């Protein structure tokens, strides 16, 4: 059986690239860009006035002049005009181009206006270009303002819009189908018999995928009927890029999936990982159609942990264990935790007691899980481990 680290490497190495798609500014999705953003002009494009007030020539101010005749008003959105004489000023609004001949802006709070004359009140150190956002000071023309391969967020979409990008090329998200398996499972709106369960895994998994930017995931269910499962696989491998199954991958009489996939020509890269929960994890690629086949162990905690550990990308975060954990198996142990954040910037992780990987109700108050390495069996309070969140921070 392979280690968690080797399993993660195999999945990363073999995970296909799904090409790129244009994403329009109306869609505003949070996909990853596959092209850089360049400035189509210097930014700011002109010397930009930063305070509502008056614009004057600094040289006049420096010579001691404190009263200026107001000769006009410039609003944002109006083209650049000329100041006129050295003893005059223009009222200028935040965002308008600095008038030609002016190089100092004094805010309204520092002047008094009377009969068309603006008088500067109160002496203070004033320098040329005070309250002026200099042309090109943020970036020059043609500068790369966002490199490629960045996840789009609010600021980045704002930059794209400003630089005139009506659409951006992004990495295409795969078309995903989640398939639950098992004769015991019924729909959430149905009333179960004692031997039945409502399907929960595909909803939990779909929600996790959605929280990490994968929308439009389709759902399906299969009873443990081998011929039907084979037909279903043949139909769906052509329509989807990723088929994620939950259940049916262990050692049971009705765990048909691993044999069935290999019979259909899927190349197997992982069958079993030295971890708890999630030991029977299965991963392969159908190279004929470039379809990923992921078999998540059916126990609800196992399927969630495997999806988050191996598929959903989150920043590397470490958290400090608040209570000793002892786990005497030669397996990596994923322990659900509740986090608290202190003013000391330490992320604290309270481990939650969980009897087995069927006890998903114990996850209700959890924020994610810690990965406790298999090289150890004693994890003292105060030690730090990698944390995987249910939601991307
Ligand atoms: N002889 C062995 N038995 C088992 C082993 C083993 O190594 N040897 N591994 C155990 C481990 S660990 C796990 S995890 C499970 C994985 O089993 P399967 O992937 O085959 O899943 P199922 O048998 O179909 O179901 C297991 C369990 O999970 C419940 N389940 C399944 N799907 C859902 C769903 N969509 N919503 C809610 N609950 C679901 C199912 O009812 C079962 O209770 O195998 C162990 N056995
Ligand atoms: O991996 Mo199983 O998930 O230990 O129950
Ligand atoms: Mg089974």
């Amino acid at each position: 059986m392979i280690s968690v680290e080797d399993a993660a490497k195999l999945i990363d190495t073999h995970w296909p690239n799904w090409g790129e798609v244009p994403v329009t500014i109306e869609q505003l999705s949070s996909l990853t860009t596959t092209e850089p953003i360049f400035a189509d002009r210097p930014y700011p494009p002109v010397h930009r006035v930063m305070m509502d007030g008056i614009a004057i020539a600094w040289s006049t101010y420096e010579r001691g002049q404190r009263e200026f005749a107001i000769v006009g008003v410039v609003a944002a959105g109006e083209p650049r005009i000329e100041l006129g004489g050295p003893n005059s000023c223009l009222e200028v609004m935040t965002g308008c181009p600095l008038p030609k001949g002016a190089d100092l802006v004094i805010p309204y709070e520092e002047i008094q206006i009377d009969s068309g004359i603006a008088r500067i009140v109160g002496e203070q150190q004033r320098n040329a270009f005070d309250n002026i956002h200099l042309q090109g000071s943020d970036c020059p023309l043609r500068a790369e303002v966002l490199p490629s391969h960045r996840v789009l967020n609010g600021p980045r979409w704002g930059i794209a819009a400003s630089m005139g990008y009506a659409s951006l090329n992004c990495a295409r998200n795969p078309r995903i189908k989640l398939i639950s398996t098992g004769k015991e499972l019924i729909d959430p709106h149905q009333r179960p018999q004692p031997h039945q369960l409502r399907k929960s895994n595909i909803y939990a998994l779909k929600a996790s995928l959605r929280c990490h930017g994968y929308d439009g995931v389709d759902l399906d269910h299969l009873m443990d009927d081998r011929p039907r499962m084979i037909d279903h696989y043949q139909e769906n491998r052509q329509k989807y890029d990723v088929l994620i199954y939950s259940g049916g991958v262990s050692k049971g009489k009705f765990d048909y999936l691993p044999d069935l996939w290999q019979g259909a020509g899927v190349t197997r890269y992982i069958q079993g990982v030295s971890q708890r929960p999630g030991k029977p994890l299965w991963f392969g690629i159908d190279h004929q159609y470039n379809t990923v086949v992921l078999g998540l162990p059916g126990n609800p905690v196992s399927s969630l942990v495997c999806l988050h550990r191996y598929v959903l990308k989150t920043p590397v975060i470490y958290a400090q264990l608040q209570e000793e954990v002892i786990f005497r198996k030669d397996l990596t142990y994923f322990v659900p935790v509740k986090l608290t954040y202190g003013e000391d910037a330490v992320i604290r992780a309270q481990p939650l007691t969980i009897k087995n990987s069927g006890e998903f109700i114990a996850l209700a108050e959890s924020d994610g899980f810690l990965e406790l390495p298999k090289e150890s069996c004693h994890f003292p309070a105060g030690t730090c481990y990698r944390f995987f969140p249910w939601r991307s921070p």
Side-chain angles (χ1 to χ4, degrees):
M1 217 171 3
I2 63 167
S3 68
V4 166
E5 293 73 26
D6 287 346
K9 255 185 238 146
L10 279 167
I11 292 177
D12 281 353
T13 309
H14 292 286
W15 198 262
N17 178 340
W18 315 107
E20 54 183 19
V21 279
V23 178
T24 70
I25 197 115
E26 281 75 33
Q27 292 170 304
L28 295 179
S29 92
S30 58
L31 292 178
T32 302
T33 57
T34 53
E35 62 171 331
I37 297 180
F38 293 103
D40 67 337
R41 53 188 188 156
Y43 213 87
V46 293
H47 291 326
R48 182 180 74 91
V49 167
M50 284 179 11
M51 297 290 262
D52 303 312
I54 55 166
I56 59 173
W58 182 75
S59 54
T60 320
Y61 174 83
E62 209 208 359
R63 283 198 297 273
Q65 175 88 15
R66 292 295 179 267
E67 290 187 354
F68 299 84
I70 300 172
V71 295
V73 180
V74 193
E78 289 175 2
R80 190 177 186 216
I81 60 169
E82 259 190 81
L83 178 60
N87 295 336
S88 58
C89 71
L90 280 163
E91 289 185 70
V92 287
M93 304 305 126
T94 304
C96 77
L98 181 72
K100 207 169 165 198
D103 54 1
L104 175 60
V105 170
I106 315 270
Y108 278 127
E109 292 85 335
E110 297 169 21
I111 61 174
Q112 277 175 357
I113 297 178
D114 197 10
S115 312
I117 304 291
R119 189 161 55 81
I120 299 172
V121 288
E123 285 301 308
Q124 63 182 73
Q125 174 70 36
R126 291 191 168 92
N127 298 306
F129 295 104
D130 275 358
N131 301 315
I132 295 159
H133 190 179
L134 292 180
Q135 178 185 41
S137 62
D138 295 0
C139 72
L141 169 69
R142 284 189 277 279
E144 187 183 81
V145 288
L146 184 71
S148 183
H149 297 92
R150 296 292 184 271
V151 178
L152 288 168
N153 55 19
R156 290 168 180 170
W157 270 116
I159 292 167
S162 180
M163 297 308 169
Y165 284 71
S167 93
L168 279 168
N169 287 325
C170 290
R172 178 171 77 76
N173 260 349
R175 295 161 298 173
I176 303 176
K177 183 174 250 189
L178 278 167
I179 306 140
S180 54
T181 67
K183 177 158 113 171
E184 74 280 27
L185 300 170
I186 61 163
D187 283 332
H189 62 266
Q190 293 178 307
R191 186 184 290 275
Q193 303 286 313
H195 56 277
Q196 293 179 316
L197 291 176
R198 294 193 182 94
K199 296 168 197 168
S200 61
N201 288 3
I202 46 172
Y203 298 102
L205 298 168
K206 182 168 172 160
S208 284
L209 284 159
R210 184 175 289 170
C211 287
H212 287 77
Y214 296 98
D215 289 323
V217 171
D218 288 340
L219 302 181
D220 230 339
H221 181 73
L222 288 170
M223 303 299 259
D224 302 311
D225 169 350
R226 204 168 191 281
R228 169 73 194 116
M229 286 169 129
I230 295 174
D231 289 348
H232 181 273
Y233 177 71
Q234 305 284 1
E235 287 160 28
N236 284 278
R237 68 174 168 174
Q238 309 178 33
K239 295 186 193 153
Y240 291 91
D241 301 307
V242 179
L243 295 174
I244 304 178
Y245 291 76
S246 110
V249 295
S250 188
K251 305 266 187 237
K253 281 254 157 73
F254 309 101
D255 292 338
Y256 298 128
L257 290 170
D259 278 357
L260 181 156
W261 291 323
Q262 282 185 270
V266 182
T267 306
R268 181 189 73 189
Y269 293 105
I270 298 174
Q271 182 161 24
V273 180
S274 53
Q275 61 185 10
R276 179 172 291 171
K279 198 167 75 175
L281 178 68
W282 203 99
F283 167 73
I285 307 265
D286 189 325
H287 287 288
Q288 200 184 337
Y289 295 92
N290 206 26
T291 310
V292 168
V293 178
L294 193 66
L296 302 177
N299 273 321
V301 181
S302 318
S303 61
L304 272 168
V305 161
C306 288
L307 184 79
H308 282 265
R309 176 61 183 85
Y310 297 107
V311 180
L312 302 175
K313 298 281 170 242
T314 43
V316 178
I317 300 170
Y318 285 80
Q320 187 189 62
L321 201 56
Q322 293 306 289
E323 213 173 85
E324 172 188 66
V325 173
I326 292 175
F327 181 68
R328 295 185 205 284
K329 291 257 175 350
D330 189 22
L331 299 170
T332 297
Y333 184 42
F334 297 112
V335 61
V337 292
K338 173 154 187 58
L339 296 187
T340 48
Y341 304 88
E343 281 181 10
D344 54 5
V346 175
I347 305 174
R348 296 186 167 76
Q350 180 62 40
L352 303 177
T353 318
I354 175 165
K355 295 185 292 297
N356 61 64
S357 56
E359 196 194 348
F360 64 101
I361 292 162
L363 300 183
E365 291 292 331
S366 67
D367 296 300
F369 54 90
L370 292 189
E371 177 172 327
L372 306 183
K374 76 173 169 151
E375 291 68 32
S376 192
C377 56
H378 177 218
F379 306 92
T383 50
C384 296
Y385 304 95
R386 173 111 190 244
F387 168 72
F388 290 85
W390 297 134
R391 283 186 69 107
S392 198

